[in-house]
Amino acid sequence: MPVVATKHNGFTDSVADGISGFLVREKDANAIAERILYFVSNPDKLISMGVEGRKHALNNYDPPI
């Protein structure tokens, strides 16, 4: 599942903006809404960006114990 997160703390390390989700400025409710509406209008991106996010997580983070 792709994510919409803010450019805060570690999100910039875990979300590849435009590839596995979207990063927006903090406290920018309009930007968050625009990115969510993007997924509504482009449901195919839910799958492709979700796949990219999973690849990123598997390649960069240890699995849970």
Side-chain angles (χ1 to χ4, degrees):
M1 180 70 62
V3 298
V4 177
T6 60
K7 296 177 183 175
H8 182 76
N9 283 342
F11 292 127
T12 55
D13 295 330
S14 58
V15 178
D17 190 31
I19 298 170
S20 63
F22 292 114
L23 294 170
V24 300
R25 289 181 318 219
E26 286 186 61
K27 301 179 184 178
D28 190 344
N30 289 331
I32 293 171
E34 286 173 9
R35 295 307 186 189
I36 292 171
L37 290 173
Y38 173 84
F39 288 128
V40 171
S41 298
N42 300 278
D44 57 308
K45 291 295 186 177
L46 286 170
I47 295 170
S48 63
M49 291 177 95
V51 167
E52 291 302 318
R54 185 173 194 279
K55 283 183 198 176
H56 180 78
L58 290 173
N59 290 330
N60 294 285
Y61 300 98
D62 292 330
I65 298 175

